Amino acid sequence: MTTTKYIFVTGGVTSSLGKGIISASLAKLLQARGYSVTIQKLDPYINVDPGTLNPYEHGECYVTEDGAETDLDLGHYERFLNVHTSQANNVTTGRIYQDVITKERRGDYLGKTVQIIPHITDEIKRRIKILGTLRKYDFVITEIGGTVGDIESLPYIEAVRQLRWELKNQTLVIHLTLVPYLAATGELKTKPTQHSVKTLQEEGVQPDILVLRTEHPISDEIRTKVANFCNVQKEDVIESHDVKTIYEVPIEMQKEKLDEIVLRQFGIEPKKSPDLIPWKSFLNKLNNPKHEVNIALVGKYVELKDAYKSINEAFIHAGAENETKINISYIHSENVSEETCAELLKSAEGIIVAPGFGHRGINGKILAVKYARENNIPFLGICLGMQCAVIEFARNVLNLEDANSLEMDRKCKNPVINLMEEQKMITEKGGTMRLGAYPCKLVKGSNAYNAYKTIEISERHRHRYEFNNSYLDMFSEAGMIASGINPETQLVEIIEIPSHKWFIGVQFHPEYKSTVLAPHPLFVSFIKAVVNNNNR
Ligand code: GLN
């Protein structure tokens, strides 16, 4: 395609309607037709990035290859498309303002009054267009966070209005709304949709396609009604009803012809519909499991499943790959004590200790590691989970009773987990961790190597603390080895206990790289170990 087409996805009526999944599904369908597609998320909050947000606020923080701390929707984009995103794919109001204010301080505006229009909107437009100009994608899908009518999203909608004017038929707006069902009268109601489209129109933007989120099928009559009230063709009003898994949504959107509608509106003749064979084969395995396993996830944010989004999804991918249904029980690390540990973990056939920050719940995590190690239960520790495995081993096998991480005890005498050298001078919190992809070399014959089946790997990181190499010999002699090491800095990236059935801790976050078509080798191998163990 000669010119990049820009598709904007807005949301009305309520938040959490699944704009990210609709965007990712459309991208998947266009990608399957051979187009190059990328997705961008614009977030209307003032944090410069979600890295400083507590997971309770906004769910998991997703990390890209280039080390950007981003919205969890970028995880969906990567899992659906199997291509990497970057810093450019997630922009917040905070970042926009930070850039504009930096330019103002530099004097770039030559004495002009700096205003929302045009300066903030220009910066938003630049950030949208950059994806089309730098990489020359066929389609850039930009999801506007929040709900139409919010004060925060006004500059974004205004930027969309301006871009539509500038780029004319190279742009398209998809508006996602809710059609609620009133049980008392047994009716689907379209009024909230009419109002949200009206709000969008008041802000100067006419949507081209409406996606109606619903719990019940939308009748022809309702489509006609919505089309008439909202100035949209009836065939461009489609429904998105609730499905069992988000991975069904591309198939549903294909049935509703979302990709064909988009192409037709851009004046592109849609060729034969893509068959999505690998995707359907994944769904088939997911929906027809041959085995079932129980995994306990021990973490401190378990009340909010979105806090462990990528881990949950990585399990779904690994489960399908192993044709295994995975039941995850979420165990609050603060509830795990000497007294409760065995009871809470008694049905766990595999244990995962989650990433995290700070002291809260740390003892429960260490007890869960101990339980997995002593009872020979397959174990995966991620980031803080790996650090807990190191502390547990130091305390209970090496008999270093006061062993700890410097994060938990600043004055610790046996800091088996140390603050990284380059972190010692850092005082600011935002974007200052060791972030993004780093290489790692695996020890041949180790369980990690058996999972990856290659020596050189690259994984994404998000941490300040690390394994303290001055203890490495003690650990190896006692049976916990470093099976993955950064070839440049010698940082320990993977530990494992070779005598255990399957016990691996990783300093990085494998979950960020698991996708539908490339399930992560460590998760696949972990689940395989659990299945094999159960079938013995
Ligand atoms: N708090 C630990 C560190 O900063 C672990 C971080 C994590 O689990 N992502 O090193």
Side-chain angles (χ1 to χ4, degrees):
M1 247 162 53
T2 46
T3 49
T4 303
K5 311 280 184 223
Y6 294 88
I7 301 170
F8 301 99
V9 179
T10 57
V13 182
T14 130
S15 58
S16 307
L17 285 182
K19 289 193 295 276
I21 302 298
I22 293 292
S23 304
S25 300
L26 171 60
K28 182 80 224 163
L29 294 175
L30 293 172
Q31 184 196 51
R33 285 176 179 272
Y35 296 107
S36 63
V37 193
T38 192
I39 321 182
Q40 179 185 45
K41 172 91 188 271
L42 304 182
D43 272 314
Y45 50 72
I46 315 245
N47 302 65
V48 171
D49 62 42
T52 52
L53 286 170
N54 183 322
Y56 288 126
E57 291 280 314
H58 207 66
E60 163 193 284
C61 169
Y62 184 79
V63 178
T64 56
E65 284 287 294
D66 63 350
E69 296 180 286
T70 70
D71 184 81
L72 56 78
D73 269 337
L74 268 76
H76 289 310
Y77 307 162
E78 292 206 8
R79 289 187 281 271
F80 275 58
L81 298 184
N82 204 24
V83 290
H84 293 159
T85 53
S86 72
Q87 177 75 72
N89 295 77
N90 190 199
V91 179
T92 69
T93 295
R95 192 172 292 280
I96 301 275
Y97 271 79
Q98 191 184 44
D99 281 4
V100 169
I101 291 168
T102 306
K103 284 185 197 154
E104 185 274 335
R105 292 288 83 186
R106 257 197 332 243
D108 290 5
Y109 296 114
L110 303 172
K112 286 264 180 235
T113 309
V114 180
Q115 295 177 296
I116 292 181
I117 304 167
H119 302 101
I120 295 295
T121 46
D122 277 356
E123 184 59 29
I124 296 173
K125 287 194 292 180
R126 191 183 70 78
R127 296 274 185 165
I128 294 171
K129 286 198 281 193
I130 217 166
L131 285 172
T133 44
L134 278 185
R135 289 277 314 271
K136 273 261 153 258
Y137 287 102
D138 294 324
F139 293 95
V140 175
I141 301 178
T142 300
E143 177 194 344
I144 317 275
T147 308
V148 164
D150 292 348
I151 292 177
E152 288 92 341
S153 59
L154 274 175
Y156 292 99
I157 305 291
E158 169 60 14
V160 171
R161 186 194 68 75
Q162 292 180 20
L163 276 175
R164 273 168 85 71
W165 185 246
E166 283 168 35
L167 302 171
K168 303 273 182 309
N169 54 10
Q170 289 170 53
T171 65
L172 212 149
V173 173
I174 300 176
H175 187 59
L176 176 64
T177 77
L178 176 71
V179 177
Y181 178 74
L182 283 195
T185 52
E187 278 176 304
L188 285 166
K189 299 308 250 180
T190 65
K191 193 76 81 185
T193 296
Q194 296 174 37
H195 281 302
S196 93
V197 170
K198 214 150 252 149
T199 307
L200 198 53
Q201 288 165 339
E202 275 164 21
E203 293 172 13
V205 173
Q206 167 63 46
D208 303 292
I209 299 170
L210 294 177
V211 180
L212 310 183
R213 186 72 200 271
T214 171
E215 287 172 9
H216 296 272
I218 302 270
S219 67
D220 216 45
E221 199 188 335
I222 290 181
R223 282 185 209 239
T224 308
K225 187 173 172 188
V226 170
N228 284 343
F229 275 109
C230 302
N231 299 351
V232 173
Q233 300 289 336
K234 184 180 148 207
E235 54 275 21
D236 299 341
V237 179
I238 65 170
E239 74 173 54
S240 164
H241 57 82
D242 295 354
V243 279
K244 261 204 342 252
T245 142
I246 53 168
Y247 298 113
E248 301 273 1
V249 180
I251 310 294
E252 291 305 309
M253 288 301 105
Q254 189 176 37
K255 282 189 203 146
E256 288 290 303
K257 300 191 169 46
L258 179 59
D259 53 335
E260 281 181 43
I261 296 171
V262 164
L263 291 173
R264 180 174 41 74
Q265 291 217 12
F266 277 126
I268 303 165
E269 186 54 45
K271 293 195 207 86
K272 192 178 138 298
S273 202
D275 44 25
L276 297 172
I277 288 171
W279 193 272
K280 285 183 183 156
S281 124
F282 159 80
L283 280 174
N284 192 29
K285 282 194 275 177
L286 182 69
N287 293 331
N288 300 290
K290 299 200 174 98
H291 322 275
E292 188 165 349
V293 298
N294 297 319
I295 303 292
L297 183 150
V298 182
K300 67 170 169 179
Y301 303 115
V302 288
E303 305 90 328
L304 185 76
K305 302 286 173 297
D306 270 5
Y308 301 114
K309 191 87 209 164
S310 293
I311 294 180
N312 296 339
E313 300 305 314
F315 273 127
I316 292 175
H317 310 153
E321 186 68 17
N322 283 293
E323 296 177 274
T324 300
K325 177 170 187 272
I326 302 178
N327 309 314
I328 306 183
S329 51
Y330 296 86
I331 310 232
H332 202 304
S333 47
E334 282 183 299
N335 293 341
V336 182
S337 66
E338 297 274 4
E339 294 73 43
T340 61
C341 185
E343 180 60 25
L344 286 172
L345 294 174
K346 71 169 193 262
S347 56
E349 293 155 345
I351 295 174
I352 177 161
V353 174
F357 295 84
H359 192 270
R360 187 167 68 91
I362 197 79
N363 287 336
K365 286 186 170 179
I366 293 171
L367 283 168
V369 176
K370 181 165 183 250
Y371 183 86
R373 185 179 57 77
E374 291 183 343
N375 294 290
N376 217 356
I377 298 169
F379 168 84
L380 176 61
I382 299 182
C383 208
L384 183 62
M386 172 265 202
Q387 298 175 353
C388 288
V390 169
I391 298 168
E392 191 280 320
F393 196 85
R395 288 184 188 172
N396 300 323
V397 179
L398 302 181
N399 295 318
L400 303 172
E401 277 167 31
D402 58 351
N404 213 334
S405 160
L406 277 189
E407 181 179 9
M408 314 307 157
D409 178 4
R410 288 250 151 262
K411 298 202 181 87
C412 170
K413 294 275 181 335
N414 278 300
V416 287
I417 301 293
N418 214 352
L419 185 62
M420 272 182 284
E421 207 42 50
E422 69 266 27
Q423 288 286 328
K424 291 191 175 148
M425 301 303 285
I426 288 173
T427 50
E428 294 208 350
K429 289 272 182 283
T432 55
M433 281 187 250
R434 178 173 181 242
L435 291 165
Y438 286 93
C440 171
K441 254 184 128 164
L442 304 183
V443 172
K444 221 171 174 166
S446 63
N447 258 337
Y449 174 84
N450 292 340
Y452 285 93
K453 298 189 178 58
T454 178
I455 296 271
E456 277 166 42
I457 60 161
S458 165
E459 292 283 0
R460 300 181 198 172
H461 298 70
R462 183 169 187 252
H463 65 120
R464 293 186 204 280
Y465 296 83
E466 56 156 344
F467 182 91
N468 185 342
N469 271 332
S470 46
Y471 290 89
L472 189 52
D473 289 345
M474 273 176 90
F475 274 82
S476 313
E477 278 156 27
M480 178 179 271
I481 62 157
S483 55
I485 294 199
N486 179 300
E488 285 138 31
T489 56
Q490 304 308 310
L491 287 187
V492 171
E493 304 282 27
I494 310 179
I495 54 97
E496 62 182 82
I497 301 179
S499 62
H500 189 283
K501 257 179 216 141
W502 202 98
F503 188 107
I504 293 187
V506 289
Q507 184 56 79
F508 50 79
H509 292 261
E511 69 274 22
Y512 293 144
K513 282 183 77 168
S514 187
T515 72
V516 166
L517 300 184
H520 195 284
L522 275 180
F523 281 88
V524 173
S525 169
F526 175 54
I527 294 304
K528 197 176 193 169
V530 178
V531 172
N532 289 344
N533 194 28
N534 289 358
N535 291 346
R536 267 163 12 113

